[in-house]
Amino acid sequence: MNTEVGANDRVKLVAVVIGLSAVIGVMLLAFVLPSVNSGAHELKLGISGPAAATTQITSSLEANKPGAFVTEEFADADAVRDAIRHRDVVGGIIVDAAGPHVLIATAGGAPIAQTLTGVAGALSEASGTKVAVEDVVPLTADDPTGAGLTALALPLVFGGMMPAVVLVQLFPRSIGKRVVGAVGVAVVAGFGLAAILQFGTHSLDGNYLLTSLALAMGISAISLPLLGLESLFGIKGFALGALTMMFVANPLSGMATTSAWLPAGWGSFGQLLPPGSAGAAVRSLAFFDGHGAGTSVLVLACWIGVGVALCLVAGMKKAPLPASEPDAALV
């Protein structure tokens, strides 16, 4: 008997070692693969100037960086600048009497701005004159690398996961109190995170109230669906949602680089998940006067709605109490 028990223990031990090692490997792949496969691919670039010059530049871009850029012609330099500010393009190249110069937006993604700066260097070598680089939408002077935005990803995800964990333990029989608590944490934490990034590290600019609300929506869009999954399916539902947020949504959020820098298709998919849409909304509201934030806010609202709906369904599935008693599952 003892021999059989010992053999079972050894099998369990081997299974745990192999299983957890595989999980750790998958975790690494989840974060590494989007990074190593990221880069410039079909980045929308505004271009303006004489037809002969713009045609030559477009051909040169395609020859040196095949598939990296998709150019769109504009009437003049101001039109290109407006397109950058409205997030219609990620940068631009202008050709005028003084020669070519490059427009970038470091607030729209540091890697993209660096790539376009490299394009300016290549144009300088080809023309024999220095090509100027103009940052149309810069990051803040105190955080020129965007470290604050980069660091926001994990607090945002954990800010959504932890309230779900704590509230389930504190209010095991009250779904309503869990929802109220989750929304309360999201609002307070959203305003707190925005204050730290805008007034503490000076990483963000723009309207503090709107940025705070975007962060609050982002946290709610994570915590409420997790609460709903736990309420309906128990710990298995919560685990599935948490793993998705941590190892799928987080690496594909594009928080540091924007979705345009991620592998084709995956960046767009990441924007349909709460961390990606929250990061895009914060970037747009903090630096681009809200341009481009509408879709992201709509995605967050949909996730919040899904979370609330799951919690309502879970509440209705609870065993009904006598008519004279209030429904404890919903209060």
Side-chain angles (χ1 to χ4, degrees):
M1 184 68 178
N2 289 336
T3 302
E4 183 178 348
V5 171
N8 289 335
D9 288 344
R10 286 193 292 272
V11 170
K12 291 179 182 179
L13 183 59
V14 171
V16 167
V17 170
I18 295 175
L20 291 181
S21 298
V23 169
I24 294 171
V26 171
M27 289 169 56
L28 176 63
L29 289 174
F31 284 90
V32 168
L33 287 179
S35 298
V36 300
N37 291 290
S38 295
H41 53 275
E42 298 186 353
L43 298 175
K44 294 181 180 179
L45 195 64
I47 192 167
S48 175
T54 57
T55 299
Q56 182 179 359
I57 289 174
T58 300
S59 299
S60 177
L61 288 173
E62 184 59 29
N64 293 321
K65 294 181 177 294
F69 300 103
V70 175
T71 58
E72 180 180 351
E73 292 195 18
F74 289 85
D76 52 37
D78 288 337
V80 177
R81 292 187 181 92
D82 286 342
I84 293 172
R85 295 189 183 102
H86 285 76
R87 308 208 71 182
D88 295 325
V89 297
V90 300
I93 300 177
I94 307 302
V95 182
D96 54 23
H101 56 281
V102 174
L103 307 180
I104 64 173
T106 51
I112 297 174
Q114 292 167 2
T115 297
L116 291 176
T117 302
V119 169
L123 290 174
S124 297
E125 293 181 4
S127 64
T129 58
K130 183 174 178 58
V131 173
V133 177
E134 176 187 347
D135 196 347
V136 178
V137 188
L139 289 162
T140 63
D142 292 320
D143 187 8
T145 63
L149 272 175
T150 302
L152 182 60
L154 280 178
L156 188 67
V157 173
F158 276 108
M161 291 172 58
M162 292 309 297
V165 174
V166 173
L167 291 167
V168 165
Q169 300 299 317
L170 290 178
F171 306 107
R173 296 179 57 81
S174 178
I175 297 174
K177 289 178 182 177
R178 297 182 196 177
V179 171
V180 172
V183 173
V185 170
V187 171
V188 174
F191 276 80
L193 289 176
I196 291 171
L197 291 175
Q198 187 151 348
F199 307 121
T201 63
H202 303 286
S203 298
L204 300 182
D205 201 354
N207 189 302
Y208 168 69
L209 174 61
L210 294 179
T211 304
S212 300
L213 291 175
L215 286 170
M217 288 187 70
I219 295 172
S220 295
I222 296 172
S223 62
L224 290 176
L226 291 179
L227 280 175
L229 288 172
E230 196 284 334
S231 300
L232 274 175
F233 307 111
I235 189 62
K236 292 181 180 179
F238 174 85
L240 177 62
L243 288 173
T244 301
M245 293 297 176
M246 178 58 67
F247 300 120
V248 178
N250 187 30
L252 297 179
S253 67
M255 194 75 71
T257 62
T258 74
S259 62
W261 195 252
L262 292 171
W266 290 107
S268 299
F269 176 68
Q271 295 303 291
L272 298 177
L273 301 174
S277 53
V282 168
R283 190 184 294 272
S284 294
L285 291 166
F287 298 106
F288 293 89
D289 295 327
H291 295 298
T295 300
S296 300
V297 171
L298 178 60
V299 170
L300 293 176
C302 289
W303 278 100
I304 291 171
V306 167
V308 172
L310 289 173
C311 289
L312 288 174
V313 171
M316 290 187 291
K317 288 183 66 175
K318 296 288 184 181
L321 296 176
S324 60
E325 298 183 26
D327 190 349
L330 295 174
V331 298

